[in-house]
Every structure is written in structure tokens, then in C-alpha cells.
Amino acid sequence: MILFSLFALVPLSALGAFSVQTAKELILNIVTNEVDHVARDKVELLKRWISERKADIAVVAGSSILSSTDPYVIAAYLELVRTNYRVYSGFAVFSRTGQLVYSTSADSPVPDGAEWFREALKGRLFMSDIFFDPERMDSFFLISAPLPEKTGDIARVICATVGTNTILSAILSVSLGRTGECYLVNREGMFLAHKEPHRILTENIAQSESFKNIFNARSNRITYIDYRGIEVIGSSSRVEGTDWALVVEQDRDEAFHAAGTLTRYISLVIAFSVLAALASAWLLSRYVAMPIHKLSTAADELAAGRYDPNLINTKRRDEIGLLLKAFADMAEKLRHREKDLETKVHLREAELKETGVELQKTQQAAVRSQQLASMGQLAAGVAHEIRTPLTSLKLFLESVESDIEVSTEFEEDFHVAMKQIKRMEDTINRFLDFARPQEPLFSDVCVEDLIKDALLVVGPRARQQETVIALDIKPSLPTVRGDRKQLCEVLVNLMVNALEAMVLRGDLKITACVQPFSNGEKQSEHVRIDIKDTGPGIAQEQIPKLFDPFFTTKATGTGLGLSIVLSIIQLHGGEVLVSSGEYRGATFSVIIPSAGKNKGKNDGKDTDS
Ligand code: ADP
């Protein structure tokens, strides 16, 4: 706003000041020329008039009538001249000795010691300074001239008293506004003619700036302080042949009245322009600068993520309104995008957290696997070390049994010892099988045959504890590729666990079916065998530990059965699943890739035993 005002006002003020200055100079020139012109005209008029008066006296002095000794003759002549020329208030003729010969009026000038008389006697035409007669309220001056005889000697002197009223009233009246005036001063600084008669020959302006300006060429200034102490524009002109100067002056204030008016007008225009500039600047600031400032603040807020849509709420339909609306739309879209991004980031964070948990679990599992592997190695070493002396002990006891007769008192203890040794040997062998698994001998195996082989092993025990076994083998089952002995061991292990879980009575259901398997684009068939019991089931927290070696809940268990099952099935490229809950029984599922050949024998009917 300030800049706008400065740019608008500085040139305007300069133009105004220049106009006022030019107007003043112009007015000064015009007034100066005018007063100059008037002064020269008036001086010319006065000069001409004085010359005429001098010429009059010269003519009168040259008249032979004035040589007459008869005063009546002289009187008639001089009265005639006086009445014809009106400007003369009187004529007087004096003898060489100063005696009055004739005078047209009673108050004739006195020649004793008077300059006009002396000069005339010297044969020169003389004009005196002006003097003021308060009684007649008129100014006069004297013109004297010698009256020579025929011999050339000066016998008499004529002196005319000239009234200046007519000429001076013509000279003093000037049409220069209200304050324009014209006056006559002599070299001593006395007023000789002035529109105010009381100043004539009473006031001396020798010390005033006007006087210095009139008679001192070096201080010839256009404007100066006059005898009244007022600044005036003036011009003066000397009256040739006299010590007089005619001055024409006009008050500076009056002369510059027009310039003053112009200055007032220009000031008014500048004031109006200031107001207009301020109003324009205010409008510009309110309707352009402020909305743009708001927009910039909103952009900053948007960048800082604190954007408030109310900041640039507008109903304007002009370009600024369109700009604000475009910004608001953009901010809204950015806000939506930011929200989307935030949601995506949160999702990613949750995924990362999940992945982190999984990773942690995997790391824990890896550590545990490593610990188990070390433990397994150690245990395998120990088992190996124990098996040799155990075998020796077993052989020794067998030879003792055949060589010496064991008394009936110790026979039972002997058999218990043998049984325990055998059990220890079995456990060690199973452990060693697990620790150093045999390489599977692959062949196409019929799943139904496999299940029946396993049932042959566990059948006696099932019958012993009155367990009902149900078989559901789907027809046309494909064969599986695997080691028949190892796969049979897997099924036996799972069936024994199921029977052990049920203790007395219960239902054991064995199902075999095809399970489609998809590995990316590759589709294949797997065979699934489920072994389901009606035992107490497995607690959820125990399920992850089931396949760990040595995990057992049984008093005489080894905890190796499921570990061996898992390692054999993994060697066959399959997997083992468990589903159970407490008191709901347990289902162990073995899934093995099929060999693709159909060797199924079952007609699809369930078999119970
Ligand atoms: P063991 O039979 O020597 O205990 P396993 O590895 O075969 O070793 O089994 C480990 C544990 O799994 C068992 O102690 C038992 O707690 C649990 N288990 C396995 N099968 C079943 C089942 N069918 N029902 C309930 N628990 C089972």
C-alpha cells in the first residue's frame, strides 16, 4: 500500500511543484514587464510635459513684450499666457537686482539667494524641485529663464510657478490591480508625488530597500521590500534632465494571487489523488493481496499438515475466487491421498509387525532346532555307548539263562530284567533310527495294503482293549511313491498313539482319500490318510511341541514316535497335520504325494474290525 502510494504520489507532487514554480515565474515575468512598461510610459509622459513647459518659458522669455517698461503691457501678456496654459499658477518678472517688476499673483517667489534666480542670471533655463503647498493642496515647481536685452545682457529674469496637479494625477493613476501604485522621488529620497499627498516632501525613503533599488543599479532587484515594509514587484525609471525617478510597484501577494489559487488547486488535486491512491491501495490489498497472503498461509499450513478448509472459504467468482477454489480442491485431493497413504502405511506396519513376530518365532524355532540337534548328537553318542554294554549284558543274561538253571524264586525277576533290557535296547535302537534315519527305498506302494499291514501289527492290542476300528478307503486310490517299511512304521506309530490315548474301548477311524494339491501353476494329487481317535485329545498349547524329540506326556514314553513320523514323511515330500481339542479326540493326517498309478482294491465300503 505504501509503495503504491509512493509510486502514485511522488510524480504527482513533482508535477504539481513544477507547475506552481512555472506559474510563479510566468506571473513574475508578466508583472515585471507590465510595471516596467508602465514606468517607462509614465516617464515619457512626464518628460514630454516638462519639455513642453520648458519650451513655453523659452518662448515667453523670447518675447519682446517682456522688455517693455510698462508693467500693464507685461501683465496683459503674462495673464494671456497663464489663462491659455492653465498649468501655470503664476508668472513673475524680476529686475537683475531682484526687484519685482511684475507678478500675476500676490505670493510671487522670493529671488534673494534663490538658485532659480542665480541660474537665470547666468543665462540658463532652470527648473526647481517640486514643492508642496498644503494650503492649495498642490505640488509646484519653478521654471526660471533670463530675459536678455538687445545688447545680450541679462536685464531681467522671468519665473513661472508650474502646478503639477493635472500631470501628476495622470501619472499617479495606474491600473495595476488593487495595490498597484506609482510615485515620484528625488535623489534625496523625498516623495515628490504620491497618491497620498501627506507623504510629499515629508517622508524620506532613502533608507528603504525601494530607494536602494531605484538609485543603486547593483541592487536592481525585481522583488524587494518597499517603504511600507511590504514585498513588492517594482520597476523605476529616471526622469531625464532631473534628479527624479518614477517608480511603479505592485504588491507581490496580489500579483501572486493567481499562483496561490493554482497552488491551492494543485494541493487539492494532490490531496484527492492521495485519497484515491490510498483507496485503490486498500482495495488492492483487501481484494488481491490479502487473498494471496491467505493462500500462501494455507499452502504453508498444508505443507505442515495442519490445513483447515475454512482458511480459504470464499464465495467470489472472479479470478482470485477461481484460484482459491482450485487450491481448495487440490488441498482436498491431497488430504484424501494422504489419508489413503496413512491407511496403507498402517496396513504395512501391521504386516511388518506380523512378519516381525513370525521372524521371531522362526528365529526361536531355529535356535531350538539347533539346541535339539546338538542334544540329538549328544544323545546319539550316549545311546551308542550304552548299546554295546547293554548288548553284552543281554547276551550274558541269555547265556546265564541257558547255562544255569534260574530258581523259580528269581525266575520272574530274571524275566523282568530281561524285558527291561530289551525295552532299553528297543528305545536306543528307535532313537538311533531317528538320529541316523535310514535312506528310504522308494517303490510304488498301495495305500490300502499299507494300512492293512499296519493294522496287522496293532490289531491284537486293539482287540485287547476292545477298540472298534473303522476303515474308509476311497476307491481307485492312486499309489504313493515311498519306502513301504518306513511308511508302515509311520501308520503303526500313529495308531499305537491313538490306542494309548483311548486306553479302554473307543473308536479308531482310518480314512484314506485323494487330496488335490496346487503348487503355483502345477496341479497334482496327494493321498491323505487320517487316523482319528476318541481319546482325551491334545491341549492347544501342546500341539506345537508334539513333534519335538523327547516330548512326551506318558510315564513310560520316549517322545520319539511323532519325531520319527515327521522325519519319514518329510523325506517322502509330504506333511503331517494335527487337529484336536481337549476331550474331542485327536486326528493325525498324513499327506503323501501320489505316484499317479491307480492300484486301489477297495470298493469304497467302510470296514470295521
Ligand atoms: P510317546 O508316545 O513315546 O509319548 P510320541 O512322540 O509318539 O511319544 O508322542 C508324543 C506325545 O504326543 C504323547 O506323549 C502324547 O501326549 C501325545 N499324543 C500323541 N498321539 C496322541 C493321541 N492320539 N491322542 C492324545 N495325545 C497324543
Side-chain angles (χ1 to χ4, degrees):
M1 197 165 148
I2 290 166
L3 273 180
F4 183 82
S5 307
L6 274 180
F7 283 131
L9 292 180
V10 168
L12 203 68
S13 306
L15 186 69
F18 177 73
S19 307
V20 170
Q21 189 57 33
T22 310
K24 278 183 180 173
E25 280 173 16
L26 207 68
I27 288 168
L28 193 64
N29 264 343
I30 291 169
V31 176
T32 309
N33 279 342
E34 204 175 343
V35 292
D36 224 25
H37 201 66
V38 171
R40 267 185 279 131
D41 277 359
K42 300 282 180 187
V43 164
E44 275 308 308
L45 186 69
L46 189 61
K47 258 169 58 187
R48 215 168 37 245
W49 185 78
I50 289 169
S51 312
E52 281 170 10
R53 297 296 73 79
K54 282 181 178 175
D56 291 347
I57 295 302
V59 170
V60 170
S63 168
S64 57
I65 300 169
L66 293 183
S67 319
S68 168
T69 52
D70 186 354
Y72 294 104
V73 175
I74 296 170
Y77 176 66
L78 288 180
E79 272 305 323
L80 181 73
V81 173
R82 196 177 69 82
T83 46
N84 276 342
Y85 287 96
R86 292 187 181 276
V87 293
Y88 297 102
S89 65
F91 284 103
V93 177
F94 297 93
S95 70
R96 192 180 168 81
T97 56
Q99 283 183 339
L100 181 68
V101 178
Y102 175 74
S103 174
T104 57
S105 60
D107 54 345
S108 58
V110 181
D112 283 348
E115 198 180 4
W116 58 269
F117 188 68
R118 283 201 313 273
E119 288 296 315
L121 283 180
K122 285 177 191 167
R124 289 197 281 261
L125 191 90
F126 177 79
M127 198 179 97
S128 75
D129 259 352
I130 290 175
F131 59 90
F132 185 69
D133 183 352
E135 279 177 24
R136 285 188 279 173
M137 284 302 285
D138 194 6
S139 305
F140 301 90
F141 65 89
L142 302 173
I143 300 179
S144 63
L147 297 175
E149 287 182 331
K150 284 180 187 156
T151 55
D153 291 339
I154 297 164
R156 291 178 179 175
V157 168
I158 184 167
C159 177
T161 306
V162 187
T164 58
N165 204 3
T166 326
I167 184 68
L168 289 183
S169 60
I171 286 171
L172 296 184
S173 67
V174 285
S175 54
L176 274 174
R178 191 175 39 77
T179 58
E181 67 171 358
C182 177
Y183 57 84
L184 202 62
V185 283
N186 66 10
R187 202 160 182 54
E188 279 77 43
M190 298 297 282
F191 283 112
L192 298 178
H194 196 280
K195 64 183 179 189
E196 293 164 1
H198 66 88
R199 292 186 192 269
I200 297 169
L201 295 175
T202 56
E203 200 171 327
N204 191 309
I205 61 164
Q207 296 308 315
S208 73
E209 208 173 306
S210 325
F211 187 75
K212 285 177 197 160
N213 197 56
I214 296 161
F215 286 101
N216 187 351
R218 273 188 295 174
S219 65
N220 199 0
R221 291 167 53 188
I222 296 167
T223 62
Y224 51 86
I225 306 297
D226 75 351
Y227 60 92
R228 298 166 300 163
I230 295 171
E231 192 175 12
V232 292
I233 301 169
S235 177
S236 60
S237 198
R238 302 283 290 272
V239 183
E240 221 176 82
T242 66
D243 281 344
W244 306 347
L246 188 124
V247 184
V248 178
E249 289 171 345
Q250 187 183 10
D251 286 6
R252 191 183 177 283
D253 283 352
E254 190 194 26
F256 280 98
H257 180 71
T261 311
L262 184 70
T263 311
R264 274 194 295 282
Y265 277 133
I266 287 174
S267 306
L268 213 67
V269 168
I270 289 176
F272 180 75
S273 307
V274 169
L275 286 177
L278 288 176
S280 313
W282 182 79
L283 286 174
L284 205 71
S285 140
R286 185 179 159 77
Y287 290 102
V288 179
M290 264 169 67
I292 288 174
H293 179 70
K294 254 192 204 173
L295 196 68
S296 142
T297 312
D300 288 347
E301 294 286 294
L302 187 68
R306 296 187 302 262
Y307 175 68
D308 176 9
N310 293 326
L311 255 179
I312 50 168
N313 207 359
T314 181
K315 285 181 182 159
R316 288 174 63 175
R317 288 167 180 272
D318 56 3
E319 283 74 8
I320 294 287
L322 289 175
L323 183 68
L324 291 177
K325 272 195 190 104
F327 180 84
D329 287 350
M330 184 195 76
E332 196 56 35
K333 280 177 191 160
L334 276 176
R335 224 148 55 93
H336 281 309
R337 201 170 293 173
E338 197 184 329
K339 266 189 185 166
D340 285 354
L341 278 175
E342 264 174 27
T343 316
K344 278 183 187 160
V345 166
H346 284 145
L347 279 174
R348 289 279 176 277
E349 272 177 3
E351 277 173 20
L352 271 177
K353 220 179 252 178
E354 220 169 281
T355 314
V357 172
E358 299 255 312
L359 190 69
Q360 212 175 357
K361 275 185 191 167
T362 314
Q363 278 173 341
Q364 283 171 352
V367 170
R368 210 148 133 254
S369 300
Q370 211 171 3
Q371 286 171 345
L372 290 174
S374 318
M375 218 165 83
Q377 272 180 346
L378 189 71
V382 172
H384 190 75
E385 287 302 311
I386 291 172
R387 192 167 64 167
T388 316
L390 199 66
T391 311
S392 308
L393 187 65
K394 192 181 122 193
L395 287 173
F396 172 71
L397 285 178
E398 279 172 356
S399 67
V400 165
E401 189 185 18
S402 58
D403 291 350
I404 4 169
E405 188 109 342
V406 180
S407 68
T408 47
E409 189 189 346
F410 296 107
E411 196 175 331
E412 196 179 343
D413 294 341
F414 188 82
H415 283 293
V416 169
M418 280 297 284
K419 205 175 164 189
Q420 290 303 325
I421 287 171
K422 191 149 180 2
R423 193 166 160 249
M424 281 164 71
E425 198 182 35
D426 280 351
T427 305
I428 287 168
N429 284 339
R430 290 192 76 188
F431 174 74
L432 287 175
D433 281 351
F434 166 72
R436 284 192 289 272
Q438 297 284 311
E439 272 301 305
L441 294 169
F442 285 101
S443 64
D444 287 347
V445 180
C446 171
V447 176
E448 192 183 339
D449 290 349
L450 200 62
I451 293 169
K452 284 183 176 165
D453 285 353
L455 280 173
L456 279 178
V457 179
V458 299
R461 176 156 184 181
R463 277 191 293 279
Q464 194 187 348
Q465 60 183 56
E466 299 171 23
T467 299
V468 179
I469 298 175
L471 272 182
D472 179 11
I473 300 167
K474 296 293 173 214
S476 312
L477 268 186
T479 53
V480 292
R481 187 111 189 107
D483 186 315
R484 188 181 176 120
K485 198 173 150 239
Q486 286 184 356
L487 288 178
C488 185
E489 192 184 343
V490 164
L491 294 184
V492 168
N493 268 338
L494 293 175
M495 287 177 196
V496 167
N497 274 347
L499 289 173
E500 280 177 353
M502 291 185 287
V503 189
L504 197 64
R505 297 197 183 89
D507 296 325
L508 177 66
K509 185 169 185 182
I510 297 154
T511 315
C513 63
V514 173
Q515 175 153 319
F517 181 78
S518 150
N519 181 15
E521 288 176 5
K522 205 176 162 192
Q523 299 281 340
S524 59
E525 275 186 342
H526 280 39
V527 174
R528 176 182 177 135
I529 305 165
D530 291 334
I531 295 149
K532 187 174 185 314
D533 63 59
T534 52
I538 307 162
Q540 282 301 310
E541 66 274 9
Q542 286 182 351
I543 290 178
K545 301 176 204 160
L546 285 182
F547 296 93
D548 289 352
F550 309 114
F551 174 79
T552 179
T553 57
K554 298 168 193 167
T556 54
T558 59
L560 288 173
L562 289 180
S563 310
I564 292 168
V565 165
L566 184 65
S567 85
I568 291 173
I569 295 302
Q570 280 177 341
L571 279 172
H572 284 75
E575 59 180 332
V576 184
L577 305 176
V578 189
S579 82
S580 176
E582 259 179 308
Y583 314 115
R584 287 198 287 113
T587 305
F588 282 81
S589 306
V590 176
I591 300 167
I592 322 163
S594 77
K597 293 176 188 163
N598 192 349
K599 289 210 173 167
K601 300 173 180 173
N602 193 282
D603 56 1
K605 286 183 187 150
D606 287 356
T607 316
D608 290 345
S609 63

PDB file of all heavy atoms in Angstrom, residues 58 109 362 459 477 533 554:
ATOM      1  N   ALA A  58      10.694  79.227 -22.644  1.00  0.00           N
ATOM      2  CA  ALA A  58      11.664  79.744 -23.629  1.00  0.00           C
ATOM      3  C   ALA A  58      10.970  80.714 -24.594  1.00  0.00           C
ATOM      4  O   ALA A  58      11.505  81.788 -24.940  1.00  0.00           O
ATOM      5  CB  ALA A  58      12.282  78.572 -24.384  1.00  0.00           C
ATOM      6  N   PRO A 109       7.464  84.174  -5.906  1.00  0.00           N
ATOM      7  CA  PRO A 109       8.657  83.637  -5.239  1.00  0.00           C
ATOM      8  C   PRO A 109       9.679  84.738  -4.932  1.00  0.00           C
ATOM      9  O   PRO A 109       9.724  85.739  -5.640  1.00  0.00           O
ATOM     10  CB  PRO A 109       9.190  82.634  -6.261  1.00  0.00           C
ATOM     11  CG  PRO A 109       8.588  82.965  -7.554  1.00  0.00           C
ATOM     12  CD  PRO A 109       7.317  83.747  -7.314  1.00  0.00           C
ATOM     13  N   THR A 362      10.348 -67.860  14.023  1.00  0.00           N
ATOM     14  CA  THR A 362      11.249 -68.688  13.205  1.00  0.00           C
ATOM     15  C   THR A 362      12.635 -68.736  13.831  1.00  0.00           C
ATOM     16  O   THR A 362      13.285 -69.790  13.880  1.00  0.00           O
ATOM     17  CB  THR A 362      11.338 -68.122  11.774  1.00  0.00           C
ATOM     18  OG1 THR A 362      10.035 -67.837  11.342  1.00  0.00           O
ATOM     19  CG2 THR A 362      12.012 -69.077  10.807  1.00  0.00           C
ATOM     20  N   GLY A 459      -3.518-104.639  15.501  1.00  0.00           N
ATOM     21  CA  GLY A 459      -4.795-105.332  15.672  1.00  0.00           C
ATOM     22  C   GLY A 459      -4.927-106.019  17.028  1.00  0.00           C
ATOM     23  O   GLY A 459      -5.930-105.798  17.733  1.00  0.00           O
ATOM     24  N   LEU A 477      -7.844 -95.402  -5.322  1.00  0.00           N
ATOM     25  CA  LEU A 477      -6.807 -94.502  -4.775  1.00  0.00           C
ATOM     26  C   LEU A 477      -5.511 -94.691  -5.546  1.00  0.00           C
ATOM     27  O   LEU A 477      -5.147 -95.818  -5.874  1.00  0.00           O
ATOM     28  CB  LEU A 477      -6.543 -94.857  -3.314  1.00  0.00           C
ATOM     29  CG  LEU A 477      -7.316 -94.132  -2.230  1.00  0.00           C
ATOM     30  CD1 LEU A 477      -6.781 -94.551  -0.869  1.00  0.00           C
ATOM     31  CD2 LEU A 477      -7.142 -92.631  -2.391  1.00  0.00           C
ATOM     32  N   ASP A 533      -9.098 -90.688  16.582  1.00  0.00           N
ATOM     33  CA  ASP A 533      -9.466 -91.467  17.756  1.00  0.00           C
ATOM     34  C   ASP A 533     -10.484 -90.706  18.592  1.00  0.00           C
ATOM     35  O   ASP A 533     -10.778 -89.542  18.318  1.00  0.00           O
ATOM     36  CB  ASP A 533      -8.218 -91.801  18.605  1.00  0.00           C
ATOM     37  CG  ASP A 533      -7.553 -90.575  19.141  1.00  0.00           C
ATOM     38  OD1 ASP A 533      -8.200 -89.793  19.867  1.00  0.00           O
ATOM     39  OD2 ASP A 533      -6.333 -90.356  18.816  1.00  0.00           O
ATOM     40  N   LYS A 554       3.634 -89.252  28.554  1.00  0.00           N
ATOM     41  CA  LYS A 554       3.408 -90.591  29.139  1.00  0.00           C
ATOM     42  C   LYS A 554       4.567 -90.947  30.070  1.00  0.00           C
ATOM     43  O   LYS A 554       5.701 -90.553  29.825  1.00  0.00           O
ATOM     44  CB  LYS A 554       3.345 -91.638  28.008  1.00  0.00           C
ATOM     45  CG  LYS A 554       2.191 -91.355  27.068  1.00  0.00           C
ATOM     46  CD  LYS A 554       2.315 -92.193  25.820  1.00  0.00           C
ATOM     47  CE  LYS A 554       1.368 -91.698  24.757  1.00  0.00           C
ATOM     48  NZ  LYS A 554       1.668 -92.267  23.451  1.00  0.00           N
TER      49      LYS A 554
END
